[in-house]
Amino acid sequence: MATKRVALVTGATGGLGTHMCKKLYDDGFLVCGNYRSREKAEKWNEEMMAQGYNVYLYPADVSDFDQVGDMIRAIEKDHGIISILINNAGITRDGAFRKMSREAWDAVLDSNLGSVFNCSRHVINQMIEQNYGRIINISSVNAQRGQFGQTNYSAAKAGMHGFTKTLAMEVASKGITVNTISPGYIATDMVMAVAEPVRNQIISGIPVGRLGGTEEIAYLVSFLASEHAGFITGANYAINGGQHVY
Ligand code: CAA
């Protein structure tokens, strides 16, 4: 069993997840990464190994409660109790609300918010037993400010922080912290998929004048995951280049 603290990053193979895995690894955690697409994960793993990063990969659709349960049990069997959970997996299905299908609503709510329930629920009692834990929920600036075409995404991401605040209260006396990070527009595939004119218009509204870097999110993740952050709980950190100040 691991002597290092075990961290699980959901959606590990995405833009934000990749840098989180690297930073947590550099900072001495045993890092497990969750993925959904095997093909992408295999290529990702090869690239990470070539760069010296040994991340243990586990498949699961995080919107599926039972699949998540199987994944968590497998990680516990291989490495021990998960001390750090980063709820990072997420999808977009953008479109004006008047045209949005129920399917696009459900998919985004299930993947972005249902997943937070599924993963947190499957780790929380072991964290309580060991009297230590860190849960970090990756939300979005668009939860705080709204964004044309994202009623589903904004609702799910705003729900995450409501979850954070209440769970933080419930487990504060058990050595467990629960926090939210709300990234702005970061240079990931998800953001690059936004049509260029729309994206350029968005960037023009970011006072720092550029998209954020994935490593700029990973640094805060690793700090909140550390033992130094034990007095920070129920908080929501904006990292958005000044796009939304409140
Ligand atoms: N602001 C104001 N009006 C807009 C608009 C905007 N951003 N986008 C479209 N409209 C208008 C259109 O001009 C059109 O008006 P009319 O009916 O009068 O002609 C109407 O809204 C409908 O437009 P569309 O038919 O084009 O709408 P759509 O449903 O096809 O989709 C959209 C529009 C593609 C979603 C577009 O609004 C868009 O790209 N929005 C940005 C989405 C975005 O930022 N996504 C972020 C993804 S990354 C991410 O989410 C990470 C993170 O956390 C930050």
PDB file of all heavy atoms in Angstrom, residues 92 94-96 98-99 140-142 147-150 153 184-185 190-191 194 198 202, ligand 1:
ATOM      1  N   THR A  92     -19.377  19.987 -22.122  1.00  0.00           N
ATOM      2  CA  THR A  92     -20.303  21.054 -22.521  1.00  0.00           C
ATOM      3  C   THR A  92     -21.211  20.527 -23.628  1.00  0.00           C
ATOM      4  O   THR A  92     -20.811  19.662 -24.417  1.00  0.00           O
ATOM      5  CB  THR A  92     -19.559  22.292 -23.083  1.00  0.00           C
ATOM      6  OG1 THR A  92     -18.651  21.855 -24.104  1.00  0.00           O
ATOM      7  CG2 THR A  92     -18.807  23.041 -22.005  1.00  0.00           C
ATOM      8  N   ASP A  94     -23.271  23.135 -25.493  1.00  0.00           N
ATOM      9  CA  ASP A  94     -23.756  24.508 -25.576  1.00  0.00           C
ATOM     10  C   ASP A  94     -24.865  24.668 -26.615  1.00  0.00           C
ATOM     11  O   ASP A  94     -24.851  24.016 -27.664  1.00  0.00           O
ATOM     12  CB  ASP A  94     -22.603  25.453 -25.957  1.00  0.00           C
ATOM     13  CG  ASP A  94     -21.526  25.550 -24.882  1.00  0.00           C
ATOM     14  OD1 ASP A  94     -21.734  25.015 -23.784  1.00  0.00           O
ATOM     15  OD2 ASP A  94     -20.479  26.169 -25.149  1.00  0.00           O
ATOM     16  N   GLY A  95     -25.742  25.598 -26.340  1.00  0.00           N
ATOM     17  CA  GLY A  95     -26.815  25.941 -27.283  1.00  0.00           C
ATOM     18  C   GLY A  95     -27.813  26.850 -26.582  1.00  0.00           C
ATOM     19  O   GLY A  95     -27.982  26.753 -25.357  1.00  0.00           O
ATOM     20  N   ALA A  96     -28.442  27.709 -27.358  1.00  0.00           N
ATOM     21  CA  ALA A  96     -29.435  28.606 -26.770  1.00  0.00           C
ATOM     22  C   ALA A  96     -30.535  27.779 -26.092  1.00  0.00           C
ATOM     23  O   ALA A  96     -30.949  26.735 -26.619  1.00  0.00           O
ATOM     24  CB  ALA A  96     -30.031  29.487 -27.857  1.00  0.00           C
ATOM     25  N   ARG A  98     -33.660  28.108 -25.784  1.00  0.00           N
ATOM     26  CA  ARG A  98     -34.938  27.864 -26.497  1.00  0.00           C
ATOM     27  C   ARG A  98     -34.846  26.673 -27.450  1.00  0.00           C
ATOM     28  O   ARG A  98     -35.854  26.160 -27.907  1.00  0.00           O
ATOM     29  CB  ARG A  98     -35.382  29.123 -27.234  1.00  0.00           C
ATOM     30  CG  ARG A  98     -34.413  29.543 -28.316  1.00  0.00           C
ATOM     31  CD  ARG A  98     -34.815  30.868 -28.916  1.00  0.00           C
ATOM     32  NE  ARG A  98     -33.807  31.264 -29.887  1.00  0.00           N
ATOM     33  CZ  ARG A  98     -33.810  32.405 -30.521  1.00  0.00           C
ATOM     34  NH1 ARG A  98     -34.767  33.264 -30.303  1.00  0.00           N
ATOM     35  NH2 ARG A  98     -32.872  32.700 -31.384  1.00  0.00           N
ATOM     36  N   LYS A  99     -33.619  26.237 -27.745  1.00  0.00           N
ATOM     37  CA  LYS A  99     -33.451  25.071 -28.628  1.00  0.00           C
ATOM     38  C   LYS A  99     -32.879  23.866 -27.892  1.00  0.00           C
ATOM     39  O   LYS A  99     -32.624  22.821 -28.495  1.00  0.00           O
ATOM     40  CB  LYS A  99     -32.480  25.428 -29.764  1.00  0.00           C
ATOM     41  CG  LYS A  99     -33.019  26.460 -30.722  1.00  0.00           C
ATOM     42  CD  LYS A  99     -32.098  26.639 -31.919  1.00  0.00           C
ATOM     43  CE  LYS A  99     -30.928  27.524 -31.572  1.00  0.00           C
ATOM     44  NZ  LYS A  99     -30.031  27.827 -32.678  1.00  0.00           N
ATOM     45  N   SER A 140     -16.678  26.794 -12.614  1.00  0.00           N
ATOM     46  CA  SER A 140     -16.395  27.651 -13.779  1.00  0.00           C
ATOM     47  C   SER A 140     -16.824  29.078 -13.494  1.00  0.00           C
ATOM     48  O   SER A 140     -17.798  29.311 -12.763  1.00  0.00           O
ATOM     49  CB  SER A 140     -17.185  27.140 -14.981  1.00  0.00           C
ATOM     50  OG  SER A 140     -17.184  28.101 -16.019  1.00  0.00           O
ATOM     51  N   VAL A 141     -16.136  30.010 -14.135  1.00  0.00           N
ATOM     52  CA  VAL A 141     -16.562  31.410 -14.079  1.00  0.00           C
ATOM     53  C   VAL A 141     -18.010  31.533 -14.560  1.00  0.00           C
ATOM     54  O   VAL A 141     -18.761  32.398 -14.100  1.00  0.00           O
ATOM     55  CB  VAL A 141     -15.619  32.309 -14.931  1.00  0.00           C
ATOM     56  CG1 VAL A 141     -15.695  31.957 -16.415  1.00  0.00           C
ATOM     57  CG2 VAL A 141     -15.922  33.788 -14.730  1.00  0.00           C
ATOM     58  N   ASN A 142     -18.407  30.647 -15.468  1.00  0.00           N
ATOM     59  CA  ASN A 142     -19.749  30.764 -16.027  1.00  0.00           C
ATOM     60  C   ASN A 142     -20.842  30.307 -15.070  1.00  0.00           C
ATOM     61  O   ASN A 142     -22.020  30.512 -15.339  1.00  0.00           O
ATOM     62  CB  ASN A 142     -19.819  30.034 -17.372  1.00  0.00           C
ATOM     63  CG  ASN A 142     -18.986  30.748 -18.417  1.00  0.00           C
ATOM     64  OD1 ASN A 142     -18.627  31.911 -18.226  1.00  0.00           O
ATOM     65  ND2 ASN A 142     -18.659  30.079 -19.506  1.00  0.00           N
ATOM     66  N   GLN A 147     -23.449  32.570 -19.073  1.00  0.00           N
ATOM     67  CA  GLN A 147     -22.846  32.653 -20.410  1.00  0.00           C
ATOM     68  C   GLN A 147     -23.893  32.262 -21.435  1.00  0.00           C
ATOM     69  O   GLN A 147     -24.517  31.195 -21.280  1.00  0.00           O
ATOM     70  CB  GLN A 147     -21.628  31.723 -20.505  1.00  0.00           C
ATOM     71  CG  GLN A 147     -21.089  31.520 -21.904  1.00  0.00           C
ATOM     72  CD  GLN A 147     -20.588  32.815 -22.538  1.00  0.00           C
ATOM     73  OE1 GLN A 147     -19.846  33.582 -21.938  1.00  0.00           O
ATOM     74  NE2 GLN A 147     -21.030  33.081 -23.771  1.00  0.00           N
ATOM     75  N   PHE A 148     -24.086  33.103 -22.435  1.00  0.00           N
ATOM     76  CA  PHE A 148     -25.035  32.797 -23.505  1.00  0.00           C
ATOM     77  C   PHE A 148     -24.756  31.382 -24.027  1.00  0.00           C
ATOM     78  O   PHE A 148     -23.625  31.051 -24.371  1.00  0.00           O
ATOM     79  CB  PHE A 148     -24.873  33.811 -24.646  1.00  0.00           C
ATOM     80  CG  PHE A 148     -26.036  33.807 -25.608  1.00  0.00           C
ATOM     81  CD1 PHE A 148     -26.962  34.839 -25.599  1.00  0.00           C
ATOM     82  CD2 PHE A 148     -26.200  32.769 -26.514  1.00  0.00           C
ATOM     83  CE1 PHE A 148     -28.029  34.829 -26.482  1.00  0.00           C
ATOM     84  CE2 PHE A 148     -27.275  32.751 -27.393  1.00  0.00           C
ATOM     85  CZ  PHE A 148     -28.189  33.780 -27.377  1.00  0.00           C
ATOM     86  N   GLY A 149     -25.776  30.542 -24.094  1.00  0.00           N
ATOM     87  CA  GLY A 149     -25.615  29.188 -24.641  1.00  0.00           C
ATOM     88  C   GLY A 149     -25.249  28.138 -23.611  1.00  0.00           C
ATOM     89  O   GLY A 149     -24.975  26.996 -23.973  1.00  0.00           O
ATOM     90  N   GLN A 150     -25.243  28.492 -22.321  1.00  0.00           N
ATOM     91  CA  GLN A 150     -24.778  27.518 -21.318  1.00  0.00           C
ATOM     92  C   GLN A 150     -25.720  27.391 -20.107  1.00  0.00           C
ATOM     93  O   GLN A 150     -25.257  27.277 -18.969  1.00  0.00           O
ATOM     94  CB  GLN A 150     -23.383  27.895 -20.824  1.00  0.00           C
ATOM     95  CG  GLN A 150     -22.290  27.638 -21.856  1.00  0.00           C
ATOM     96  CD  GLN A 150     -20.918  27.516 -21.209  1.00  0.00           C
ATOM     97  OE1 GLN A 150     -20.502  28.374 -20.453  1.00  0.00           O
ATOM     98  NE2 GLN A 150     -20.212  26.427 -21.492  1.00  0.00           N
ATOM     99  N   TYR A 153     -24.788  24.070 -18.443  1.00  0.00           N
ATOM    100  CA  TYR A 153     -23.446  24.073 -17.846  1.00  0.00           C
ATOM    101  C   TYR A 153     -23.396  25.017 -16.633  1.00  0.00           C
ATOM    102  O   TYR A 153     -22.858  24.669 -15.578  1.00  0.00           O
ATOM    103  CB  TYR A 153     -22.458  24.504 -18.927  1.00  0.00           C
ATOM    104  CG  TYR A 153     -21.000  24.431 -18.577  1.00  0.00           C
ATOM    105  CD1 TYR A 153     -20.299  23.232 -18.675  1.00  0.00           C
ATOM    106  CD2 TYR A 153     -20.305  25.566 -18.176  1.00  0.00           C
ATOM    107  CE1 TYR A 153     -18.936  23.179 -18.387  1.00  0.00           C
ATOM    108  CE2 TYR A 153     -18.951  25.519 -17.895  1.00  0.00           C
ATOM    109  CZ  TYR A 153     -18.273  24.316 -18.005  1.00  0.00           C
ATOM    110  OH  TYR A 153     -16.933  24.272 -17.721  1.00  0.00           O
ATOM    111  N   GLY A 184     -11.681  30.520 -15.194  1.00  0.00           N
ATOM    112  CA  GLY A 184     -12.241  31.254 -16.318  1.00  0.00           C
ATOM    113  C   GLY A 184     -11.913  30.515 -17.599  1.00  0.00           C
ATOM    114  O   GLY A 184     -11.850  29.282 -17.634  1.00  0.00           O
ATOM    115  N   TYR A 185     -11.668  31.261 -18.669  1.00  0.00           N
ATOM    116  CA  TYR A 185     -11.368  30.640 -19.960  1.00  0.00           C
ATOM    117  C   TYR A 185      -9.886  30.246 -20.006  1.00  0.00           C
ATOM    118  O   TYR A 185      -9.005  31.092 -19.978  1.00  0.00           O
ATOM    119  CB  TYR A 185     -11.745  31.587 -21.103  1.00  0.00           C
ATOM    120  CG  TYR A 185     -13.245  31.561 -21.336  1.00  0.00           C
ATOM    121  CD1 TYR A 185     -14.111  32.235 -20.480  1.00  0.00           C
ATOM    122  CD2 TYR A 185     -13.790  30.815 -22.374  1.00  0.00           C
ATOM    123  CE1 TYR A 185     -15.493  32.184 -20.669  1.00  0.00           C
ATOM    124  CE2 TYR A 185     -15.163  30.756 -22.576  1.00  0.00           C
ATOM    125  CZ  TYR A 185     -16.003  31.437 -21.716  1.00  0.00           C
ATOM    126  OH  TYR A 185     -17.362  31.364 -21.905  1.00  0.00           O
ATOM    127  N   MET A 190     -11.653  22.290 -24.830  1.00  0.00           N
ATOM    128  CA  MET A 190     -13.050  22.679 -24.620  1.00  0.00           C
ATOM    129  C   MET A 190     -13.275  24.148 -25.018  1.00  0.00           C
ATOM    130  O   MET A 190     -14.251  24.496 -25.678  1.00  0.00           O
ATOM    131  CB  MET A 190     -13.427  22.471 -23.152  1.00  0.00           C
ATOM    132  CG  MET A 190     -14.890  22.615 -22.858  1.00  0.00           C
ATOM    133  SD  MET A 190     -15.238  22.563 -21.090  1.00  0.00           S
ATOM    134  CE  MET A 190     -15.613  20.855 -20.838  1.00  0.00           C
ATOM    135  N   VAL A 191     -12.337  24.982 -24.630  1.00  0.00           N
ATOM    136  CA  VAL A 191     -12.455  26.406 -24.943  1.00  0.00           C
ATOM    137  C   VAL A 191     -12.126  26.643 -26.422  1.00  0.00           C
ATOM    138  O   VAL A 191     -12.778  27.448 -27.098  1.00  0.00           O
ATOM    139  CB  VAL A 191     -11.553  27.242 -24.007  1.00  0.00           C
ATOM    140  CG1 VAL A 191     -11.391  28.664 -24.530  1.00  0.00           C
ATOM    141  CG2 VAL A 191     -12.138  27.258 -22.597  1.00  0.00           C
ATOM    142  N   VAL A 194     -14.949  26.538 -28.971  1.00  0.00           N
ATOM    143  CA  VAL A 194     -15.871  27.673 -29.145  1.00  0.00           C
ATOM    144  C   VAL A 194     -15.475  28.384 -30.441  1.00  0.00           C
ATOM    145  O   VAL A 194     -14.278  28.577 -30.719  1.00  0.00           O
ATOM    146  CB  VAL A 194     -15.752  28.651 -27.941  1.00  0.00           C
ATOM    147  CG1 VAL A 194     -16.587  29.907 -28.159  1.00  0.00           C
ATOM    148  CG2 VAL A 194     -16.157  27.948 -26.641  1.00  0.00           C
ATOM    149  N   VAL A 198     -16.463  34.126 -31.508  1.00  0.00           N
ATOM    150  CA  VAL A 198     -17.042  34.188 -30.155  1.00  0.00           C
ATOM    151  C   VAL A 198     -15.907  34.170 -29.128  1.00  0.00           C
ATOM    152  O   VAL A 198     -15.887  34.948 -28.163  1.00  0.00           O
ATOM    153  CB  VAL A 198     -18.004  32.984 -29.909  1.00  0.00           C
ATOM    154  CG1 VAL A 198     -18.584  33.022 -28.501  1.00  0.00           C
ATOM    155  CG2 VAL A 198     -19.115  32.955 -30.941  1.00  0.00           C
ATOM    156  N   ILE A 202     -14.789  36.893 -26.315  1.00  0.00           N
ATOM    157  CA  ILE A 202     -14.663  36.560 -24.884  1.00  0.00           C
ATOM    158  C   ILE A 202     -13.296  37.026 -24.364  1.00  0.00           C
ATOM    159  O   ILE A 202     -13.195  37.660 -23.317  1.00  0.00           O
ATOM    160  CB  ILE A 202     -14.872  35.050 -24.658  1.00  0.00           C
ATOM    161  CG1 ILE A 202     -16.358  34.685 -24.896  1.00  0.00           C
ATOM    162  CG2 ILE A 202     -14.446  34.641 -23.240  1.00  0.00           C
ATOM    163  CD1 ILE A 202     -16.654  33.204 -24.977  1.00  0.00           C
TER     164      ILE A 202
HETATM  165  N1  CAA B   1     -24.506  36.815 -27.131  1.00  0.00           N
HETATM  166  C1  CAA B   1     -25.680  37.370 -27.556  1.00  0.00           C
HETATM  167  N2  CAA B   1     -26.442  36.809 -28.510  1.00  0.00           N
HETATM  168  C2  CAA B   1     -26.031  35.673 -29.055  1.00  0.00           C
HETATM  169  C3  CAA B   1     -24.831  35.047 -28.662  1.00  0.00           C
HETATM  170  C4  CAA B   1     -24.052  35.682 -27.674  1.00  0.00           C
HETATM  171  N3  CAA B   1     -22.910  35.147 -27.233  1.00  0.00           N
HETATM  172  N4  CAA B   1     -24.675  33.899 -29.371  1.00  0.00           N
HETATM  173  C5  CAA B   1     -25.747  33.819 -30.181  1.00  0.00           C
HETATM  174  N5  CAA B   1     -26.558  34.884 -30.007  1.00  0.00           N
HETATM  175  C6  CAA B   1     -27.816  35.155 -30.660  1.00  0.00           C
HETATM  176  C7  CAA B   1     -27.729  34.954 -32.150  1.00  0.00           C
HETATM  177  O1  CAA B   1     -27.306  36.126 -32.801  1.00  0.00           O
HETATM  178  C8  CAA B   1     -29.151  34.552 -32.485  1.00  0.00           C
HETATM  179  O2  CAA B   1     -29.949  35.717 -32.508  1.00  0.00           O
HETATM  180  P1  CAA B   1     -31.224  35.794 -33.483  1.00  0.00           P
HETATM  181  O3  CAA B   1     -32.131  34.637 -33.122  1.00  0.00           O
HETATM  182  O4  CAA B   1     -31.825  37.138 -33.192  1.00  0.00           O
HETATM  183  O5  CAA B   1     -30.669  35.690 -34.862  1.00  0.00           O
HETATM  184  C9  CAA B   1     -29.596  33.743 -31.263  1.00  0.00           C
HETATM  185  O6  CAA B   1     -28.750  34.193 -30.194  1.00  0.00           O
HETATM  186  C10 CAA B   1     -29.431  32.245 -31.450  1.00  0.00           C
HETATM  187  O7  CAA B   1     -28.109  32.033 -31.939  1.00  0.00           O
HETATM  188  P2  CAA B   1     -27.662  30.631 -32.484  1.00  0.00           P
HETATM  189  O8  CAA B   1     -28.745  30.049 -33.325  1.00  0.00           O
HETATM  190  O9  CAA B   1     -26.300  30.750 -33.057  1.00  0.00           O
HETATM  191  O10 CAA B   1     -27.608  29.857 -31.113  1.00  0.00           O
HETATM  192  P3  CAA B   1     -27.052  28.414 -30.871  1.00  0.00           P
HETATM  193  O11 CAA B   1     -28.013  27.743 -29.980  1.00  0.00           O
HETATM  194  O12 CAA B   1     -26.716  27.744 -32.156  1.00  0.00           O
HETATM  195  O13 CAA B   1     -25.681  28.605 -30.107  1.00  0.00           O
HETATM  196  C11 CAA B   1     -23.714  29.398 -29.172  1.00  0.00           C
HETATM  197  C12 CAA B   1     -25.076  29.792 -29.764  1.00  0.00           C
HETATM  198  C13 CAA B   1     -22.923  28.538 -30.176  1.00  0.00           C
HETATM  199  C14 CAA B   1     -23.906  28.589 -27.903  1.00  0.00           C
HETATM  200  C15 CAA B   1     -22.989  30.665 -28.891  1.00  0.00           C
HETATM  201  O14 CAA B   1     -23.787  31.476 -28.062  1.00  0.00           O
HETATM  202  C16 CAA B   1     -21.680  30.435 -28.182  1.00  0.00           C
HETATM  203  O15 CAA B   1     -20.719  29.931 -28.750  1.00  0.00           O
HETATM  204  N6  CAA B   1     -21.616  30.819 -26.917  1.00  0.00           N
HETATM  205  C17 CAA B   1     -20.396  30.704 -26.129  1.00  0.00           C
HETATM  206  C18 CAA B   1     -20.424  29.433 -25.381  1.00  0.00           C
HETATM  207  C19 CAA B   1     -19.229  29.386 -24.492  1.00  0.00           C
HETATM  208  O16 CAA B   1     -18.590  30.356 -24.111  1.00  0.00           O
HETATM  209  N7  CAA B   1     -18.908  28.183 -24.117  1.00  0.00           N
HETATM  210  C20 CAA B   1     -17.767  27.980 -23.241  1.00  0.00           C
HETATM  211  C21 CAA B   1     -17.223  26.621 -23.510  1.00  0.00           C
HETATM  212  S1  CAA B   1     -15.739  26.376 -22.578  1.00  0.00           S
HETATM  213  C22 CAA B   1     -16.264  26.228 -21.020  1.00  0.00           C
HETATM  214  O17 CAA B   1     -17.402  26.134 -20.729  1.00  0.00           O
HETATM  215  C23 CAA B   1     -15.193  26.215 -19.982  1.00  0.00           C
HETATM  216  C24 CAA B   1     -15.475  27.181 -18.930  1.00  0.00           C
HETATM  217  O18 CAA B   1     -15.859  26.787 -17.840  1.00  0.00           O
HETATM  218  C25 CAA B   1     -15.249  28.611 -19.159  1.00  0.00           C
END
